[in-house]
Amino acid sequence: MALLLTCNIYTGGSWFFIALFAVLLGYAAIFLPIFALIYPVPQKIKRHGGIICVSVDMLILIVLLSVCLYGTPKMLLNAILTSIFVFVPVVAIVAMFSYWENNLIFKFSILSAFIGIFSFIGNSVINAIFAIDYRLNIDLTSWQSEHINDNILLLILIAFLIASLVLAIIGTLKKLKNK
């Protein structure tokens, strides 16, 4: 950090806080989970370690976006909304694996369905945030440039839903076998 500050002062720049929060985001994403595992942390806090780590990452990202886009409130709002939308599956996955006591195969079944659906609707939601007119353009008989992305998204959705169904069946059979 001292090197960044020295370089910023020497060059007369105004980029120090952007670099500071970008580096902090990287450090938090990498080292905060390791810190939570290695060092003694009260059990009540340790139980929520995953959500705490993801929340800190999200908070630092919002601060970084605010520093970068403070002069353009509309772009800042769009960036924050997009970041929140993209963090939804991360928070959901961390919460599911941290708090839901269930068969691991069922967890992966739900995870598969969730990621498939999220991937399929992602472009629509982000385009809505940026007020860009967008509609799905699916035509599996045509693989031209105007259809290829949405065709692939549909196939990804179908593949993830099939995987989810197969995992749910396997999880159910495993649960019945254990009874």
Side-chain angles (χ1 to χ4, degrees):
M1 297 301 153
L3 180 60
L4 287 174
L5 180 60
T6 303
C7 292
N8 185 64
I9 292 169
Y10 179 76
T11 62
S14 59
W15 48 264
F16 174 71
F17 288 106
I18 294 171
L20 172 72
F21 287 108
V23 170
L24 283 177
L25 179 60
Y27 282 157
I30 294 169
F31 296 114
L32 191 58
I34 295 169
F35 175 81
L37 287 173
I38 291 177
Y39 293 102
V41 178
Q43 191 58 35
K44 285 187 176 188
I45 295 173
K46 192 174 205 109
R47 171 157 169 63
H48 307 292
I51 293 294
I52 291 170
C53 290
V54 170
S55 299
V56 168
D57 292 344
M58 181 67 194
L59 180 64
I60 295 172
L61 178 61
I62 289 173
V63 172
L64 175 61
L65 291 171
S66 299
V67 169
C68 290
L69 299 170
Y70 69 91
T72 55
K74 177 67 175 156
M75 287 301 293
L76 175 59
L77 178 62
N78 290 345
I80 289 173
L81 290 174
T82 301
S83 298
I84 291 170
F85 173 70
V86 171
F87 263 83
V88 165
V90 175
V91 171
I93 291 166
V94 168
M96 181 176 66
F97 280 93
S98 296
Y99 302 120
W100 191 34
E101 299 296 327
N102 204 333
N103 183 325
L104 188 62
I105 296 172
F106 280 124
K107 288 180 182 180
F108 280 108
S109 172
I110 291 170
L111 175 65
S112 181
F114 185 74
I115 289 182
I117 293 167
F118 194 85
S119 299
F120 186 72
I121 67 168
N123 286 342
S124 299
V125 172
I126 290 173
N127 280 301
I129 289 171
F130 283 90
I132 297 170
D133 187 33
Y134 175 80
R135 68 176 189 84
L136 285 170
N137 197 3
I138 297 171
D139 182 0
L140 294 177
T141 62
S142 172
W143 288 87
Q144 302 302 316
S145 62
E146 65 268 9
H147 300 289
I148 194 164
N149 186 55
D150 294 333
N151 286 351
I152 291 171
L153 287 174
L154 177 64
L155 295 177
I156 289 171
L157 172 64
I158 292 168
F160 271 97
L161 290 178
I162 290 170
S164 177
L165 181 62
V166 168
L167 288 168
I169 291 168
I170 292 170
T172 302
L173 292 174
K174 184 176 179 183
K175 198 169 198 175
L176 291 173
K177 182 181 173 186
N178 291 339
K179 282 187 177 182

